[in-house]
Amino acid sequence: WKYDGRKAAYTPTDPPEHVARLLLDYGEWQVPPLTGIATRPFLRPDMTLCQTPGYDRASGVLLSGTPAPLTLPAPLTFEAAGVAWRAFQTLWQDFPFAEERDQAATLAALLTLVARPAIAGCTPLFAFVSPTPGTGKGLLADVLSLIATGAVAPRWTVTQEQEEMRKQLVTMARAGD
């Protein structure tokens, strides 16, 4: 960054040539790959739980901040999964789901958010829709996002303009959303 007096602001700039040459002369940098950044404990691809802040070599994910440690029931059983499902249902029990399968899709969205580092490849995109405004779509998305990331869900208005949609998606991707 370099201060631009005409704009009265800092602007991006290339480094001086001697700095660039110094860095290039250093040779091969041993920087591990960064595949993602998490703010909450997450599942690794080997299905173990990462709860230690810092860079996780097993997944390539940086666990940032001071996440609260998770305690899981031991052993993990089908009955424990049923208890967890009923606990999750209380989070969205007042949402006007049209069908019970909509609750299952909500759980799938939450599990996808939490387990994303453990999933190699693509994951589904989840959209929250309703026939009427004010039914809680944004609140539901925020509940899931707060559980998984500690932040509210990013949002935007869908447009029919392809170029505008492309710009919105690029902006969100660059922001890390």
Side-chain angles (χ1 to χ4, degrees):
W1 293 90
K2 181 178 177 181
Y3 188 76
D4 183 339
R6 290 174 289 160
K7 294 182 180 179
Y10 284 93
T11 58
T13 186
D14 292 330
E17 186 176 339
H18 71 278
V19 173
R21 289 196 185 284
L22 180 69
L23 293 173
L24 288 172
D25 289 346
Y26 185 75
E28 183 81 20
W29 289 77
Q30 299 300 316
V31 178
L34 180 63
T35 59
I37 299 173
T39 57
R40 296 285 186 264
F42 62 90
L43 285 175
R44 294 181 183 104
D46 65 2
M47 295 303 147
T48 59
L49 186 63
C50 178
Q51 300 192 80
T52 306
Y55 180 75
D56 181 59
R57 289 198 178 279
S59 64
V61 174
L62 175 67
L63 181 54
S64 177
T66 54
L70 296 177
T71 54
L72 300 176
L76 295 175
T77 63
F78 187 75
E79 289 75 23
V83 170
W85 169 240
R86 288 186 291 282
F88 278 126
Q89 284 180 304
T90 65
L91 294 173
W92 50 73
Q93 67 187 4
D94 294 328
F95 287 96
F97 291 113
E99 299 181 35
E100 189 171 339
R101 68 181 178 193
D102 298 331
Q103 288 190 53
T106 301
L107 179 62
L110 176 60
L111 292 176
T112 300
L113 285 168
V114 173
R116 182 61 185 106
I119 301 170
C122 299
T123 57
L125 171 71
F126 293 89
F128 297 87
V129 297
S130 74
T132 57
T135 56
K137 299 177 300 290
L139 179 59
L140 182 60
D142 286 342
V143 166
L144 301 183
S145 185
L146 283 164
I147 292 168
T149 70
V152 296
R155 39 178 64 75
W156 79 93
T157 302
V158 176
T159 175
Q160 297 300 319
E161 299 293 326
Q162 187 173 4
E163 180 61 18
E164 184 61 28
M165 179 63 81
R166 184 195 68 74
K167 289 177 185 177
Q168 289 178 351
L169 291 173
V170 167
T171 299
M172 289 182 69
R174 286 184 175 161
D177 295 337

